[in-house]
Amino acid sequence: MKKILRFYLSNTDTIRHESLYEEIAHAAQREQLAGATVLQGIMGYGKASKLRSNKFWELNVKYPIVVEIIDDEEKLQAFLDKILPTLKVQPKGILVTMQPVDIVLCK
């Protein structure tokens, strides 16, 4: 069964001096998952309830990021098991979800 794995985080989240979203995408590629997409959010808030946006006139440089990966459930779970310890050491602001997905077209 195909599922979608999503990581909701911030562009300022880092691990070993690299953006966390880049590390997740590179790790997905190393694990030969079908593909990963990194999306930059325009506005959002999380557990801290501080609304963030990336309007060009604001000095705020923190904005939401979503990393999406679609693949077989078993592959995604194995990937998640490997990367979860890295995510757990992050101070805050990360949400991970996995749900079923119907592929309509893939060519």
Side-chain angles (χ1 to χ4, degrees), residues 41-104:
I42 296 172
M43 181 183 278
Y45 73 92
K47 197 172 182 179
S49 294
K50 186 162 186 175
L51 193 58
R52 307 264 186 196
S53 71
N54 64 356
K55 294 178 183 173
F56 70 91
W57 61 85
E58 293 181 355
L59 296 177
N60 181 13
V61 294
K62 186 172 183 173
Y63 49 82
I65 296 286
V66 178
V67 181
E68 295 185 336
I69 305 169
I70 298 175
D71 210 319
D72 294 321
E73 181 178 6
E74 297 78 24
K75 290 181 181 180
L76 291 178
Q77 190 60 56
F79 175 70
L80 188 56
D81 291 343
K82 287 183 181 180
I83 202 164
L84 210 49
T86 300
L87 301 177
K88 286 184 177 180
V89 300
Q90 294 295 308
K92 61 180 178 175
I94 298 173
L95 174 67
V96 180
T97 66
M98 189 180 335
Q99 55 266 3
V101 65
D102 293 326
I103 306 294
V104 176

